[in-house]
Amino acid sequence: MDINKKYTPHSWPDHPETATMEGKNKFVGFWLLLAAESVTFASLFATYLALKDKGPSGMEFTAAGLFELPLVFAMTMILLTSSLTSVYAMYHMKNHNFKSMQAWLAVTVLLGATFLGLEIYEFNHYVHLGFGYTNSAFSSAFYTLVGTHGAHVLFGLGWFIALMVRNAKRGLNTYNAPKFFLVSLYWHFIDVVWVFIFTVVYLMGVIG
Amino acid sequence: MAHDVHEHVRTKEEYEYVRRQRAQEMRHMLTSFAMMIFLTLIAFTAVAAGFSTYLIVPIILLLAAIQVVLQLYHFMHLSNKGSGTIAFFMFSGMFVAFIVILTFVTIIWW
Amino acid sequence: MSSNAQKSGFGATIWDYMTSVDHKKIAILYLMSGGLFFLIGGIEAMMIRIQLMKAGNDFLSAGTYNEVLTMHGTTMIFLAAMPLLLGFMNAIMPLQIGARDVAFPFLNSLGFWLFFFGGVFLNLSWFLGGAPDAGWTNYASLALASESHGIDFYSLGLTISGFGTLISGINFLVTIINMRAPGMTYMRMPLFTWTTFVASALILLAFPPLTIAIFFMVFDRLFGSHFFDVAAGGNTIIWEHLFWIFGHPEVYILILPAFGIFSEIFAIFSRKRLFGYTALVFATILIGFYGFMVWAHHMFTVGLGPTANAIFALATMIIAVPTGVKIFNWLLTIWGGSVSFATPMLYAVGFIPSFVAGGVTGVMQAMAPLDYQLHDSYFIVAHFHYVIVGGVVLAIFAATHLYWPKMFGTMLSEKLGKVTFWLFFIGFHLTFFIQHFLGLMGMPRRVYTFGADQGWDLFNAISSAGAIFMALGVIILLVNVIMTTVKNERVGNDPWGDGRTLEWAIPSPPPFYNFAQTPLVRGLDTYWIEKMEGNKEGMIYAEPLGDIHMPNNSFIPVVMSFGLFVASFGALYHPDDLPWTVPVIVLGLLITFGSMLLRSLKDDLGFHVHKEDLIKDREGVKTDGHQ
């Protein structure tokens, strides 16, 4: 594999992410990691469900009393949209249109950062209500589940930015195409987890 | 490993064809996205409207499942040719995930 | 690059191994550190047996005894058995499928160093205020009450080494999925490769629950959360479930590669194709699949209710079926073969009755009502030692003898090997067979002493005497290793003379690129087919001789693992209100994520081995072979 090889949209392979052996390996390996991540998040969800609304006697916090849907709705829309913008980025990656890909990735990063900002605001709000991490079994399980997702978002943002900055000057080749592809897969997976979080934690929490 | 990139330069017609195909695929993506937004709206509305819990919970779980399938198969291309092995592992992972959650809502002994 | 390191000095060799991404060198690292931890765990076992050799002994205090038994179990499972098996997987599996390295050589190195730093961290507990003392299962209700930092060493150490294992699992899976030589279909893979594949799949799906459980434990003990704290609404059963959702597949992660090793041995030393290859493959997959549906049989006495107990009892009994299939396949492989009882074959033959005994007592415990009687007694101790020692440890010793020439290019002494086998085998049965009866007589496990009036004196004395035989066996194995290394008599490609799979078609030890030309595989037992057709080269090639692309060495894995090691110390002392803990956590994570970023930003394209060098190498190898 020659990193300095220049491609044109005409010579760009159909599946640049798996055009090299390294790319194929990364592709399969990353999906396997996602399978492991599914079990990781399942363990967190399961624990959350087991500990929901559980606390020391006299605990005043319950999911139904705590969560507010408008903020969660906004966060959901933002994250879903960022999933679409990363699809756009991959569309341009496959067309070997580097500038547009970078632009859509930048939009994705902005949306992801907004999401993360709202999540921090939400956590901060709860902590001010007295619902801290050490408040109860419920609070520990809630912050660990949603916080682990948030940490994944943060890691994803760092990954996006690192790739964009690193490759800003040299454009697309078969060496970095798998990297861009994987981070977008990762981003979709984060979205999948969030779909379950807003359903199981927030919606099912509000109805008690 | 050294010789795994064999270059193929497309003719103009091939290139146009591939571009058109990708554009069409992108339109499918947009449809999926619209569906995801729609499903999310239904879920939030159903909860806000305050129907019976026993009705809402299965519905919003089902909506979430549909959304995940859309993400996996449309956005993440799990159905692509040659993805059989990874799909197998992904579904094994989900199977274990399902068992774990089933356990924790049934036999956690409280 | 790495090929000319052999002639250089000691420091350069160390540096070479620390930075190596070559699967064969990483295998040696696994073997050495796994072997070291095996000795440490063995010493702990001897301390247990010394303490229990007579009634009312005061060799160890009650508290120390708890630490010793906890560290014995934890060390043997996580730091000895698994790394040793990972070592053999690393050494042999890529050769068996005709690959030049694993799919992610860098991650392979990272996996090892994470395991290593995790293991070192865990064992440092001995010197820093006391080892963990809540058993290797570390049940939350007990662990939360433990006052020293021992439990924290356990949780943080296993977190680090667990990441390493998960990375190795993914790496092996991708290697087997993507890197097989042309013609090597799934149903032509040697059985050791198959068991590596299934065991890696189990690692992939079983380690996340353990990681999460341990995270909860870390947060509960160090950062004030309440997952297991019943007074604050927590639930201690969560730990047990998560631990055993991991713990039961873990048993198969250990035993499946052992099955693979024995399958290779039976075929080689009976000079016969493996009987029922397809059945063995499907039995392996089935065992892996069932492995996830039986964990609650470790928790029958928790009180999950009759329905749950009945379901898990049935599922557990079903596992006996594919395992039985395997036993019969091995017996039928031996039957009618031209059997030679070399040391590996002795272990394999000794394994069958030992493992069957362990399996049968397992089925006994699958019956929930009987398990209420047996639970937490020495019967359980006897059972799992029959499975783990009679299965896994015998396999590790067998593989040590079988693959030593392939890994180091010199043969372990057969004479001493047989002495080791007999000492260890007799000692093993002497130690553990009698523990079944101790259990039935009511002796509970994990007690530091017993009274003279309880009637357990004689059996415990016999058990302790058996442990001495096992220790002697291990010492003779060490002597064997040292003598062999000193003598250093080089051997050819196929030192056992009856190798069937690809690893025996290439030099011992193989060149760092394994295969100068990728082989073309024409069936199961590739090398055997070529031998039978009189092919002197041992394989046919799928490509002409050309430049080979190989990965660069890297020091980043060591740094990355070291960062987590540092951060763990910060986390460990966090509840003690010391001012430096948070900065140390931050520093450690900065090291780890910083080196991750560096790895990501720095292009690492590897290098090429040129055709001319390959030809030179091959001629050199030919003269080596004739020595």
Side-chain angles (χ1 to χ4, degrees):
Chain A
M1 179 177 52
D2 181 10
I3 194 165
N4 296 317
K5 185 173 165 49
K6 294 281 176 251
Y7 288 90
T8 66
H10 285 81
S11 68
W12 191 231
D14 273 348
H15 290 284
E17 72 276 9
T18 52
T20 61
M21 193 67 217
E22 285 82 358
K24 283 192 189 84
N25 287 343
K26 280 185 177 169
F27 176 74
V28 172
F30 197 75
W31 269 102
L32 296 179
L33 179 72
L34 292 186
E37 286 265 47
S38 310
V39 183
T40 306
F41 275 103
S43 310
L44 291 170
F45 271 109
T47 307
Y48 171 80
L49 285 171
L51 297 179
K52 184 184 167 194
D53 293 346
K54 300 273 192 307
S57 51
M59 182 185 75
E60 52 190 312
F61 298 105
T62 60
L66 196 64
F67 300 146
E68 287 156 22
L69 285 188
L71 183 67
V72 177
F73 182 73
M75 288 164 75
T76 305
M77 287 301 153
I78 288 169
L79 203 64
L80 278 179
T81 311
S82 81
S83 198
L84 180 77
T85 55
S86 78
V87 169
Y88 265 110
M90 285 310 104
Y91 169 68
H92 291 297
M93 188 273 276
K94 291 205 164 172
N95 281 338
H96 202 266
N97 187 343
F98 182 68
K99 285 232 170 70
S100 306
M101 181 189 82
Q102 291 278 73
W104 281 109
L105 287 181
V107 176
T108 309
V109 168
L110 279 181
L111 288 169
T114 317
F115 172 88
L116 206 58
L118 288 179
E119 186 157 90
I120 291 168
Y121 165 79
E122 186 203 4
F123 280 9
N124 189 36
H125 174 65
Y126 294 152
V127 171
H128 277 288
L129 292 178
F131 187 68
Y133 186 68
T134 57
N135 175 269
S136 59
F138 172 45
S139 76
S140 301
F142 167 77
Y143 284 116
T144 307
L145 169 61
V146 183
T148 305
H149 176 265
H152 276 72
V153 174
L154 181 65
F155 186 83
L157 291 178
W159 192 359
F160 268 130
I161 291 168
L163 280 183
M164 286 164 64
V165 172
R166 176 68 183 91
N167 295 297
K169 287 216 177 100
R170 63 179 177 187
L172 274 169
N173 54 35
T174 50
Y175 177 72
N176 57 27
K179 300 184 178 207
F180 283 111
F181 187 79
L182 292 194
V183 70
S184 84
L185 271 187
Y186 179 79
W187 199 252
H188 292 309
F189 181 77
I190 287 174
D191 214 43
V192 166
V193 174
W194 181 256
V195 167
F196 281 110
I197 289 184
F198 86 70
T199 305
V200 172
V201 176
Y202 290 105
L203 290 182
M204 282 166 63
V206 166
I207 56 183
Chain B
M1 261 206 245
H3 41 78
D4 43 17
V5 189
H6 31 85
E7 194 181 67
H8 168 74
V9 181
R10 297 187 190 84
T11 61
K12 192 161 179 290
E13 287 73 28
E14 278 179 321
Y15 177 65
E16 299 285 318
Y17 175 73
V18 171
R19 285 295 289 241
R20 267 204 310 280
Q21 233 186 359
R22 292 217 179 102
Q24 197 179 8
E25 200 185 341
M26 197 59 227
R27 278 195 293 278
H28 284 303
M29 300 279 194
L30 269 177
T31 321
S32 312
F33 176 70
M35 272 181 74
M36 286 177 196
I37 296 290
F38 182 63
L39 295 176
T40 310
L41 277 174
I42 298 180
F44 274 90
T45 323
V47 172
F51 296 122
S52 147
T53 310
Y54 293 98
L55 183 70
I56 295 179
V57 170
I59 288 180
I60 59 176
L61 284 177
L62 182 71
L63 294 179
I66 297 174
Q67 275 216 51
V68 167
V69 171
L70 285 177
Q71 283 270 0
L72 284 177
Y73 278 91
H74 285 183
F75 283 11
M76 295 163 88
H77 304 283
L78 193 56
S79 57
N80 270 11
K81 187 159 60 75
S83 302
T85 317
I86 54 176
F88 172 77
F89 276 98
M90 201 64 202
F91 285 114
S92 306
M94 287 182 183
F95 170 71
V96 176
F98 174 74
I99 294 189
V100 173
I101 291 173
L102 185 69
T103 305
F104 277 54
V105 294
T106 50
I107 53 164
I108 197 74
W109 192 72
W110 43 61
Chain C
M1 278 209 96
S2 48
S3 60
N4 50 25
Q6 290 143 344
K7 301 272 183 288
S8 43
F10 182 69
T13 312
I14 299 269
W15 175 254
D16 182 43
Y17 271 87
M18 283 181 91
T19 56
S20 181
V21 295
D22 179 349
H23 71 99
K24 298 176 290 298
K25 286 189 177 155
I26 292 172
I28 293 173
L29 289 174
Y30 267 119
L31 213 61
M32 288 198 311
S33 40
L36 177 70
F37 287 125
F38 181 80
L39 293 181
I40 294 174
I43 291 167
E44 283 152 3
M46 292 310 290
M47 290 166 80
I48 293 175
R49 279 328 310 173
I50 292 172
Q51 167 66 16
L52 293 179
M53 71 186 176
K54 60 177 191 193
N57 202 357
D58 59 355
F59 175 68
L60 299 175
S61 71
T64 316
Y65 182 85
N66 285 346
E67 294 175 27
V68 171
L69 82 86
T70 302
M71 285 301 281
H72 166 66
T74 313
T75 305
M76 283 302 195
I77 297 280
F78 291 102
L79 306 182
M82 237 179 1
L84 287 169
L85 290 171
L86 286 175
F88 289 119
M89 292 175 183
N90 253 316
I92 302 303
M93 183 273 288
L95 306 181
Q96 284 194 330
I97 62 172
R100 294 214 168 99
D101 206 326
V102 291
F104 306 111
F106 175 88
L107 289 185
N108 203 9
S109 164
L110 179 62
F112 169 77
W113 288 108
L114 284 170
F115 143 71
F116 182 76
F117 277 107
V120 169
F121 186 79
L122 180 53
N123 273 284
L124 281 179
S125 62
W126 286 115
F127 311 105
L128 297 170
D133 54 1
W136 86 281
T137 52
N138 201 45
Y139 275 13
S141 31
L142 192 56
L144 287 186
S146 175
E147 277 165 11
S148 77
H149 274 305
I151 303 295
D152 308 321
F153 277 105
Y154 172 97
S155 4
L156 293 163
L158 289 190
T159 309
I160 303 176
S161 74
F163 281 135
T165 312
L166 182 65
I167 288 172
S168 305
I170 293 179
N171 202 350
F172 289 147
L173 284 171
V174 180
T175 307
I176 296 175
I177 293 172
N178 274 356
M179 312 274 286
R180 282 167 293 136
M184 176 67 80
T185 59
Y186 279 109
M187 291 312 280
R188 283 177 184 173
M189 293 193 315
L191 219 73
F192 182 58
T193 300
W194 255 114
T195 50
T196 300
F197 187 63
V198 177
S200 305
L202 294 181
I203 288 177
L204 179 76
L205 301 179
F207 267 75
L210 176 73
T211 308
I212 292 299
I214 292 183
F215 257 76
F216 291 166
M217 183 62 74
V218 169
F219 284 129
D220 263 20
R221 282 184 55 97
L222 304 178
F223 298 99
S225 66
H226 301 291
F227 293 101
F228 308 126
D229 177 8
V230 178
N235 188 330
T236 166
I237 307 299
I238 287 176
W239 169 273
E240 295 190 26
H241 272 300
L242 287 176
F243 185 85
W244 286 116
I245 288 172
F246 147 78
H248 201 80
E250 166 71 11
V251 178
Y252 295 118
I253 293 168
L254 294 176
I255 201 65
L256 286 179
F259 286 173
I261 290 165
F262 286 130
S263 302
E264 302 288 333
I265 291 173
F266 281 123
I268 292 175
F269 294 97
S270 305
R271 301 196 182 90
K272 232 180 109 190
R273 194 190 140 129
L274 208 53
F275 183 90
Y277 169 84
T278 317
L280 275 169
V281 167
F282 281 100
T284 306
I285 298 172
L286 219 56
I287 292 175
F289 179 69
Y290 286 143
F292 276 102
M293 286 180 285
V294 297
W295 78 87
H297 66 216
H298 298 270
M299 304 165 61
F300 279 153
T301 57
V302 163
L304 302 175
T307 320
N309 278 6
I311 293 171
F312 282 101
L314 275 175
T316 306
M317 289 177 204
I318 290 173
I319 290 207
V321 177
T323 316
V325 167
K326 287 183 159 237
I327 299 282
F328 284 108
N329 277 317
W330 291 322
L331 290 176
L332 290 169
T333 306
I334 306 176
W335 192 356
S338 144
V339 182
S340 83
F341 283 98
T343 310
M345 187 63 170
L346 278 182
Y347 279 107
V349 172
F351 148 80
I352 289 188
S354 315
F355 189 78
V356 168
V360 169
T361 50
V363 178
M364 287 168 72
Q365 291 154 44
M367 289 175 264
L370 182 57
D371 186 66
Y372 269 74
Q373 302 301 315
L374 303 175
H375 191 85
D376 261 353
S377 76
Y378 256 80
F379 191 87
I380 305 294
V381 177
H383 157 72
F384 66 69
H385 280 96
Y386 259 78
V387 178
I388 301 291
V389 182
V392 182
V393 177
L394 290 186
I396 287 171
F397 285 177
T400 307
H401 286 89
L402 177 69
Y403 290 126
W404 196 271
K406 188 48 66 186
M407 292 175 74
F408 298 97
T410 171
M411 219 51 175
L412 286 174
S413 151
E414 274 289 286
K415 203 192 282 168
L416 288 181
K418 284 176 182 164
V419 174
T420 302
F421 167 76
W422 284 111
L423 281 174
F424 193 85
F425 190 70
I426 292 170
F428 155 63
H429 282 284
L430 208 54
T431 309
F432 295 110
F433 189 72
I434 211 150
Q435 292 186 357
H436 290 110
F437 300 102
L438 277 174
L440 295 176
M441 288 154 76
M443 180 166 168
R445 70 191 274 205
R446 289 172 175 162
V447 289
Y448 81 104
T449 191
F450 54 93
D453 54 344
Q454 288 174 291
W456 302 333
D457 306 48
L458 176 65
F459 283 9
N460 270 307
I462 294 175
S463 184
S464 293
I468 296 172
F469 282 81
M470 288 165 70
L472 286 176
V474 175
I475 291 170
I476 289 182
L477 178 64
L478 285 179
V479 172
N480 195 351
V481 165
I482 294 168
M483 280 176 57
T484 308
T485 313
V486 172
K487 269 196 206 156
N488 199 16
E489 290 169 14
R490 310 310 292 176
V491 294
N493 294 0
D494 184 13
W496 297 104
D498 294 306
R500 310 177 69 82
T501 39
L502 268 175
E503 75 267 32
W504 305 111
I506 53 174
S508 318
F512 70 99
Y513 44 82
N514 296 351
F515 297 90
Q517 288 162 276
T518 304
L520 179 69
V521 176
R522 296 193 293 159
L524 185 64
D525 295 341
T526 323
Y527 180 44
W528 186 260
I529 293 177
E530 302 297 339
K531 266 199 285 193
M532 290 300 105
E533 295 190 358
N535 181 348
K536 285 273 183 299
E537 304 226 345
M539 52 179 155
I540 53 174
Y541 305 109
E543 58 174 16
L545 200 61
D547 290 3
I548 295 175
H549 177 245
M550 294 301 287
N552 285 330
N553 283 0
S554 173
F555 188 56
I556 296 180
V558 178
V559 180
M560 218 187 260
S561 314
F562 180 71
L564 287 183
F565 182 75
V566 170
S568 295
F569 276 106
L572 186 92
Y573 291 108
H574 182 257
D576 295 356
D577 280 330
L578 299 167
W580 51 266
T581 57
V582 175
V584 168
I585 296 178
V586 174
L587 174 73
L589 291 181
L590 274 181
I591 295 176
T592 299
F593 284 101
S595 43
M596 204 186 277
L597 188 70
L598 181 71
R599 167 74 185 166
S600 171
L601 296 186
K602 208 170 132 286
D603 293 328
D604 186 2
L605 301 168
F607 65 99
H608 282 93
V609 189
H610 295 291
K611 191 173 161 182
E612 300 75 46
D613 297 330
L614 291 175
I615 294 170
K616 247 183 258 165
D617 259 18
R618 189 153 64 172
E619 278 153 8
V621 162
K622 267 203 181 121
T623 51
D624 272 346
H626 287 298
Q627 271 172 7

